[in-house]
mmCIF file of all heavy atoms in Angstrom:
data_model
loop_
_atom_site.group_PDB
_atom_site.id
_atom_site.type_symbol
_atom_site.label_atom_id
_atom_site.label_comp_id
_atom_site.label_asym_id
_atom_site.label_seq_id
_atom_site.Cartn_x
_atom_site.Cartn_y
_atom_site.Cartn_z
ATOM 1 N N ALA H 1699 -13.016 41.327 -21.134
ATOM 2 C CA ALA H 1699 -12.823 39.834 -21.018
ATOM 3 C C ALA H 1699 -12.688 39.437 -19.583
ATOM 4 O O ALA H 1699 -13.291 38.355 -19.128
ATOM 5 C CB ALA H 1699 -11.555 39.350 -21.780
ATOM 6 N N HIS H 1700 -11.953 40.194 -18.857
ATOM 7 C CA HIS H 1700 -11.788 39.872 -17.432
ATOM 8 C C HIS H 1700 -13.094 39.925 -16.695
ATOM 9 O O HIS H 1700 -13.436 39.015 -15.787
ATOM 10 C CB HIS H 1700 -10.810 40.751 -16.696
ATOM 11 C CG HIS H 1700 -10.648 40.591 -15.231
ATOM 12 N ND1 HIS H 1700 -9.984 39.558 -14.699
ATOM 13 C CD2 HIS H 1700 -11.084 41.295 -14.175
ATOM 14 C CE1 HIS H 1700 -10.025 39.503 -13.397
ATOM 15 N NE2 HIS H 1700 -10.621 40.715 -13.023
ATOM 16 N N LYS H 1701 -13.893 41.030 -16.893
ATOM 17 C CA LYS H 1701 -15.222 41.244 -16.308
ATOM 18 C C LYS H 1701 -16.176 39.979 -16.605
ATOM 19 O O LYS H 1701 -16.813 39.405 -15.802
ATOM 20 C CB LYS H 1701 -15.863 42.517 -16.721
ATOM 21 C CG LYS H 1701 -15.372 43.711 -16.126
ATOM 22 C CD LYS H 1701 -16.016 44.918 -16.621
ATOM 23 C CE LYS H 1701 -15.359 46.256 -16.063
ATOM 24 N NZ LYS H 1701 -16.081 47.442 -16.656
ATOM 25 N N ILE H 1702 -16.158 39.590 -17.874
ATOM 26 C CA ILE H 1702 -17.135 38.515 -18.322
ATOM 27 C C ILE H 1702 -16.649 37.251 -17.747
ATOM 28 O O ILE H 1702 -17.597 36.466 -17.222
ATOM 29 C CB ILE H 1702 -17.128 38.408 -19.837
ATOM 30 C CG1 ILE H 1702 -17.784 39.734 -20.473
ATOM 31 C CG2 ILE H 1702 -18.054 37.309 -20.334
ATOM 32 C CD1 ILE H 1702 -19.059 40.071 -19.914
ATOM 33 N N GLN H 1703 -15.444 36.939 -17.681
ATOM 34 C CA GLN H 1703 -14.885 35.728 -17.042
ATOM 35 C C GLN H 1703 -15.325 35.694 -15.555
ATOM 36 O O GLN H 1703 -15.784 34.598 -14.995
ATOM 37 C CB GLN H 1703 -13.349 35.576 -17.122
ATOM 38 C CG GLN H 1703 -12.759 34.327 -16.560
ATOM 39 C CD GLN H 1703 -13.150 33.068 -17.256
ATOM 40 O OE1 GLN H 1703 -12.450 32.835 -18.329
ATOM 41 N NE2 GLN H 1703 -13.847 32.213 -16.738
ATOM 42 N N THR H 1704 -15.089 36.801 -14.796
ATOM 43 C CA THR H 1704 -15.460 36.897 -13.399
ATOM 44 C C THR H 1704 -16.880 36.762 -13.286
ATOM 45 O O THR H 1704 -17.409 36.016 -12.356
ATOM 46 C CB THR H 1704 -14.924 38.164 -12.853
ATOM 47 O OG1 THR H 1704 -13.496 38.312 -13.083
ATOM 48 C CG2 THR H 1704 -15.202 38.232 -11.382
ATOM 49 N N TYR H 1705 -17.647 37.478 -14.058
ATOM 50 C CA TYR H 1705 -19.174 37.362 -13.922
ATOM 51 C C TYR H 1705 -19.685 35.910 -14.179
ATOM 52 O O TYR H 1705 -20.457 35.418 -13.352
ATOM 53 C CB TYR H 1705 -19.732 38.231 -14.986
ATOM 54 C CG TYR H 1705 -21.182 38.262 -15.041
ATOM 55 C CD1 TYR H 1705 -22.013 38.923 -14.019
ATOM 56 C CD2 TYR H 1705 -21.959 37.612 -16.182
ATOM 57 C CE1 TYR H 1705 -23.390 38.734 -14.171
ATOM 58 C CE2 TYR H 1705 -23.261 37.500 -16.256
ATOM 59 C CZ TYR H 1705 -23.986 38.074 -15.202
ATOM 60 O OH TYR H 1705 -25.367 38.063 -15.359
ATOM 61 N N VAL H 1706 -19.165 35.269 -15.178
ATOM 62 C CA VAL H 1706 -19.589 33.904 -15.508
ATOM 63 C C VAL H 1706 -19.250 32.859 -14.365
ATOM 64 O O VAL H 1706 -20.154 32.183 -13.951
ATOM 65 C CB VAL H 1706 -19.010 33.387 -16.779
ATOM 66 C CG1 VAL H 1706 -19.143 31.952 -16.966
ATOM 67 C CG2 VAL H 1706 -19.522 34.182 -18.087
ATOM 68 N N ARG H 1707 -18.098 33.055 -13.839
ATOM 69 C CA ARG H 1707 -17.716 32.093 -12.691
ATOM 70 C C ARG H 1707 -18.563 32.322 -11.469
ATOM 71 O O ARG H 1707 -18.862 31.401 -10.764
ATOM 72 C CB ARG H 1707 -16.322 32.262 -12.304
ATOM 73 C CG ARG H 1707 -15.306 31.613 -13.387
ATOM 74 C CD ARG H 1707 -14.041 31.093 -12.689
ATOM 75 N NE ARG H 1707 -13.313 30.238 -13.673
ATOM 76 C CZ ARG H 1707 -13.528 28.917 -13.890
ATOM 77 N NH1 ARG H 1707 -14.503 28.348 -13.191
ATOM 78 N NH2 ARG H 1707 -12.864 28.271 -14.709
ATOM 79 N N ALA H 1708 -18.932 33.614 -11.196
ATOM 80 C CA ALA H 1708 -19.861 33.965 -10.116
ATOM 81 C C ALA H 1708 -21.217 33.363 -10.257
ATOM 82 O O ALA H 1708 -21.765 33.080 -9.344
ATOM 83 C CB ALA H 1708 -19.818 35.467 -9.890
ATOM 84 N N GLN H 1709 -21.650 33.452 -11.534
ATOM 85 C CA GLN H 1709 -23.004 32.998 -11.856
ATOM 86 C C GLN H 1709 -23.207 31.390 -11.881
ATOM 87 O O GLN H 1709 -24.251 30.910 -11.819
ATOM 88 C CB GLN H 1709 -23.562 33.537 -13.138
ATOM 89 C CG GLN H 1709 -23.619 35.072 -13.173
ATOM 90 C CD GLN H 1709 -24.710 35.511 -12.074
ATOM 91 O OE1 GLN H 1709 -24.406 36.063 -11.151
ATOM 92 N NE2 GLN H 1709 -26.064 35.154 -12.548
ATOM 93 N N VAL H 1710 -22.147 30.699 -12.165
ATOM 94 C CA VAL H 1710 -22.130 29.327 -12.433
ATOM 95 C C VAL H 1710 -22.925 28.475 -11.389
ATOM 96 O O VAL H 1710 -23.771 27.743 -11.608
ATOM 97 C CB VAL H 1710 -20.735 28.597 -12.574
ATOM 98 C CG1 VAL H 1710 -20.782 27.201 -12.477
ATOM 99 C CG2 VAL H 1710 -20.159 29.081 -13.929
ATOM 100 N N PRO H 1711 -22.645 28.773 -10.030
ATOM 101 C CA PRO H 1711 -23.370 27.908 -9.039
ATOM 102 C C PRO H 1711 -24.958 28.103 -9.155
ATOM 103 O O PRO H 1711 -25.673 27.004 -9.042
ATOM 104 C CB PRO H 1711 -22.894 28.467 -7.704
ATOM 105 C CG PRO H 1711 -21.551 29.023 -7.968
ATOM 106 C CD PRO H 1711 -21.617 29.564 -9.370
ATOM 107 N N VAL H 1712 -25.327 29.297 -9.397
ATOM 108 C CA VAL H 1712 -26.846 29.570 -9.624
ATOM 109 C C VAL H 1712 -27.238 29.046 -10.891
ATOM 110 O O VAL H 1712 -28.384 28.303 -11.008
ATOM 111 C CB VAL H 1712 -27.151 31.007 -9.628
ATOM 112 C CG1 VAL H 1712 -28.685 31.251 -9.903
ATOM 113 C CG2 VAL H 1712 -26.798 31.583 -8.200
ATOM 114 N N TRP H 1713 -26.568 29.126 -12.012
ATOM 115 C CA TRP H 1713 -26.955 28.615 -13.277
ATOM 116 C C TRP H 1713 -27.015 27.119 -13.315
ATOM 117 O O TRP H 1713 -27.883 26.426 -13.916
ATOM 118 C CB TRP H 1713 -25.900 29.125 -14.380
ATOM 119 C CG TRP H 1713 -26.028 30.538 -14.780
ATOM 120 C CD1 TRP H 1713 -27.125 31.436 -14.425
ATOM 121 C CD2 TRP H 1713 -25.110 31.340 -15.585
ATOM 122 N NE1 TRP H 1713 -26.823 32.618 -14.988
ATOM 123 C CE2 TRP H 1713 -25.578 32.535 -15.643
ATOM 124 C CE3 TRP H 1713 -23.798 30.933 -16.145
ATOM 125 C CZ2 TRP H 1713 -24.994 33.536 -16.414
ATOM 126 C CZ3 TRP H 1713 -23.194 32.014 -16.909
ATOM 127 C CH2 TRP H 1713 -23.835 33.209 -17.030
ATOM 128 N N ARG H 1714 -26.025 26.384 -12.606
ATOM 129 C CA ARG H 1714 -26.034 25.023 -12.606
ATOM 130 C C ARG H 1714 -27.449 24.444 -12.082
ATOM 131 O O ARG H 1714 -27.850 23.462 -12.440
ATOM 132 C CB ARG H 1714 -24.887 24.435 -11.897
ATOM 133 C CG ARG H 1714 -23.588 24.462 -12.514
ATOM 134 C CD ARG H 1714 -22.483 23.799 -11.720
ATOM 135 N NE ARG H 1714 -21.208 23.800 -12.288
ATOM 136 C CZ ARG H 1714 -20.058 23.878 -11.678
ATOM 137 N NH1 ARG H 1714 -20.146 24.004 -10.253
ATOM 138 N NH2 ARG H 1714 -18.877 23.894 -12.180
ATOM 139 N N GLU H 1715 -27.763 25.163 -10.981
ATOM 140 C CA GLU H 1715 -29.017 24.745 -10.336
ATOM 141 C C GLU H 1715 -30.228 24.793 -11.114
ATOM 142 O O GLU H 1715 -31.094 23.941 -11.050
ATOM 143 C CB GLU H 1715 -29.174 25.447 -8.946
ATOM 144 C CG GLU H 1715 -30.252 24.973 -7.952
ATOM 145 C CD GLU H 1715 -30.295 25.787 -6.763
ATOM 146 O OE1 GLU H 1715 -29.406 26.555 -6.550
ATOM 147 O OE2 GLU H 1715 -31.319 25.598 -6.060
ATOM 148 N N HIS H 1716 -30.346 25.920 -11.866
ATOM 149 C CA HIS H 1716 -31.606 26.117 -12.613
ATOM 150 C C HIS H 1716 -31.565 25.886 -14.064
ATOM 151 O O HIS H 1716 -32.549 25.830 -14.701
ATOM 152 C CB HIS H 1716 -31.980 27.695 -12.432
ATOM 153 C CG HIS H 1716 -32.210 27.952 -10.909
ATOM 154 N ND1 HIS H 1716 -33.386 27.612 -10.293
ATOM 155 C CD2 HIS H 1716 -31.520 28.687 -10.043
ATOM 156 C CE1 HIS H 1716 -33.347 28.034 -9.019
ATOM 157 N NE2 HIS H 1716 -32.124 28.693 -8.910
ATOM 158 N N TYR H 1717 -30.298 25.888 -14.676
ATOM 159 C CA TYR H 1717 -30.211 25.746 -16.134
ATOM 160 C C TYR H 1717 -29.229 24.583 -16.526
ATOM 161 O O TYR H 1717 -28.086 24.802 -16.806
ATOM 162 C CB TYR H 1717 -29.778 26.998 -16.738
ATOM 163 C CG TYR H 1717 -30.550 28.203 -16.335
ATOM 164 C CD1 TYR H 1717 -30.084 29.192 -15.520
ATOM 165 C CD2 TYR H 1717 -31.922 28.317 -16.727
ATOM 166 C CE1 TYR H 1717 -30.867 30.234 -15.052
ATOM 167 C CE2 TYR H 1717 -32.663 29.373 -16.380
ATOM 168 C CZ TYR H 1717 -32.122 30.334 -15.478
ATOM 169 O OH TYR H 1717 -32.871 31.398 -15.107
ATOM 170 N N PRO H 1718 -29.723 23.381 -16.450
ATOM 171 C CA PRO H 1718 -28.835 22.214 -16.882
ATOM 172 C C PRO H 1718 -28.256 22.277 -18.188
ATOM 173 O O PRO H 1718 -28.974 22.758 -19.161
ATOM 174 C CB PRO H 1718 -29.843 21.014 -16.743
ATOM 175 C CG PRO H 1718 -30.899 21.436 -15.870
ATOM 176 C CD PRO H 1718 -31.107 22.925 -16.112
ATOM 177 N N GLY H 1719 -26.975 21.962 -18.293
ATOM 178 C CA GLY H 1719 -26.334 22.062 -19.596
ATOM 179 C C GLY H 1719 -25.610 23.343 -19.853
ATOM 180 O O GLY H 1719 -24.948 23.555 -20.880
ATOM 181 N N VAL H 1720 -25.798 24.383 -19.007
ATOM 182 C CA VAL H 1720 -25.243 25.668 -19.258
ATOM 183 C C VAL H 1720 -23.628 25.578 -19.236
ATOM 184 O O VAL H 1720 -22.948 26.419 -19.827
ATOM 185 C CB VAL H 1720 -25.622 26.676 -18.208
ATOM 186 C CG1 VAL H 1720 -25.120 26.433 -16.844
ATOM 187 C CG2 VAL H 1720 -25.327 28.185 -18.629
#
Side-chain angles (χ1 to χ4, degrees):
H1700 178 72
K1701 284 181 180 178
I1702 296 304
Q1703 178 74 73
T1704 302
Y1705 173 76
V1706 167
R1707 285 213 168 272
Q1709 292 296 110
V1710 163
V1712 177
W1713 285 348
R1714 278 186 188 147
E1715 184 177 352
H1716 298 287
Y1717 307 111
V1720 71

